[in-house]
Amino acid sequence: MDKGVLYEFMKAGYIYEQQLFPTDRGTPQGGVISPILANMVLDGMEVLIMEQYPNMKVHFIRYADDFIVTAPTKETAEELKELIRGFLSERGLELSEDKTTITHTDDGFDFLGWNIRKYKGILLMKPSKASVQKLTQKISDIIQKAAAWTQDQLINALNPIITGWTNYHRHVASKATFKHMDAVMWNMLWRWAKRRHPQKGHQWIARRYWYTEETRNWVFKSETKKLALFSDTKIRRRSMVKLEMNPYLD
């Protein structure tokens, strides 16, 4: 895209109900325009890499401004790093040294909330430790804030978080992580229930908040609401994109 057109686009502001709202700040973090601009600025990186390494096992994967490059040797990876550094420098950008890592697939790396690593020669993608820790802290904060909430209110707050997180990770090797998070959640809820009823015994608390459904014990539910389990979400493998397909085929 022409730089002049892009500059005018960034400064154009917007019109709502026939009133102009000027743009006097940069793009907001997390705004929809941010990944669009990242894609526009970084377009051409893949072409440059493929031109420099046409006959090598070099691959480039990008999601907005997050990307990974695979290479057959560490030496080639170092060369690619310098190539990308030059590409970014021409656009007034820098390669983050803190977030840039050259590593072997046997040691693994994190990308978009997943850890990608080879286990005995088999490449697996799992939810990263950082993603699990962030989720655990978010759930913990909600449960601590819910000291005076009803069970229904707590379930209403937790269910969207559980569903959203599991739907994002359902396409990778997440089964063990889902079971682990169910156990973490149970422990947090048990402490929440005990704090609410310090004078009651364990059996009374269990009967008050947990029920048995068919073959499953310890179902956290009220008369109208039931807490979703992480492990309720089934793993569903994505099929590879068929590159020969196009919208004009039946």
Side-chain angles (χ1 to χ4, degrees), residues 39-74:
N39 282 323
M40 293 169 67
V41 172
L42 298 182
D43 272 351
M45 185 187 296
E46 181 176 8
V47 174
L48 175 64
I49 291 173
M50 293 302 107
E51 287 177 348
Q52 294 290 324
Y53 299 89
N55 300 314
M56 295 184 67
K57 290 183 177 180
V58 172
H59 301 282
F60 177 81
I61 303 96
R62 178 161 63 89
Y63 184 85
D65 59 346
D66 290 316
F67 58 87
I68 57 176
V69 185
T70 64
T73 65
K74 184 177 181 180

Side-chain angles (χ1 to χ4, degrees), residues 103-118:
T103 184
H104 197 281
T105 50
D106 287 345
D107 299 323
F109 58 92
D110 290 349
F111 183 61
L112 301 179
W114 296 313
N115 180 262
I116 304 170
R117 178 183 169 189
K118 274 189 175 180

Side-chain angles (χ1 to χ4, degrees), residues 57-244:
K57 290 183 177 180
V58 172
H59 301 282
F60 177 81
I61 303 96
R62 178 161 63 89
Y63 184 85
D65 59 346
D66 290 316
F67 58 87
I68 57 176
V69 185
T70 64
T73 65
K74 184 177 181 180
E75 290 72 21
T76 304
E78 294 282 3
E79 295 172 4
L80 284 161
K81 182 178 178 181
E82 294 308 312
L83 181 67
I84 293 171
R85 194 192 303 277
F87 176 90
L88 295 176
S89 178
E90 293 177 2
R91 289 154 177 79
L93 302 174
E94 293 182 355
L95 197 63
S96 171
E97 291 297 334
D98 294 336
K99 297 181 180 180
T100 304
T101 305
I102 295 178
T103 184
H104 197 281
T105 50
D106 287 345
D107 299 323
F109 58 92
D110 290 349
F111 183 61
L112 301 179
W114 296 313
N115 180 262
I116 304 170
R117 178 183 169 189
K118 274 189 175 180
Y119 297 84
K120 297 181 179 179
I122 299 175
L123 187 68
L124 294 179
M125 295 172 62
K126 301 180 178 182
S128 68
K129 289 182 179 179
S131 180
V132 172
Q133 289 172 354
K134 184 177 179 180
L135 171 70
T136 303
Q137 186 60 54
K138 186 174 185 179
I139 292 173
S140 176
D141 292 343
I142 289 175
I143 292 177
Q144 287 183 5
K145 189 169 63 174
W149 292 3
T150 66
Q151 188 178 17
D152 283 357
Q153 289 174 320
L154 180 56
I155 292 173
N156 284 337
L158 292 175
N159 274 350
I161 296 171
I162 296 169
T163 302
W165 197 83
T166 53
N167 282 343
Y168 181 79
H169 292 286
R170 71 184 303 178
H171 303 289
V172 298
S174 305
K175 187 175 182 180
T177 305
F178 287 174
K179 289 185 176 180
H180 167 73
M181 286 308 304
D182 281 337
V184 170
M185 175 81 76
W186 187 92
N187 284 319
M188 289 183 182
L189 292 173
W190 181 253
R191 289 195 294 270
W192 171 83
K194 287 201 300 181
R195 285 196 301 268
R196 286 171 64 87
H197 306 284
Q199 306 301 324
K200 298 293 185 180
H202 290 180
Q203 290 185 0
W204 185 96
I205 293 173
R207 288 194 301 267
R208 172 67 176 78
Y209 294 104
W210 281 270
Y211 296 84
T212 297
E213 276 192 354
E214 298 177 355
T215 59
R216 176 177 291 173
N217 298 322
W218 297 100
V219 178
F220 188 79
K221 71 173 189 175
S222 66
E223 293 182 358
T224 58
K225 304 285 184 180
K226 182 171 73 171
L227 184 71
L229 288 178
F230 289 87
S231 54
D232 283 342
T233 301
K234 304 301 180 185
I235 304 301
R236 187 176 66 189
R237 302 295 181 212
R238 285 194 182 276
S239 20
M240 295 292 290
V241 175
K242 297 180 179 178
L243 299 180
E244 71 276 10

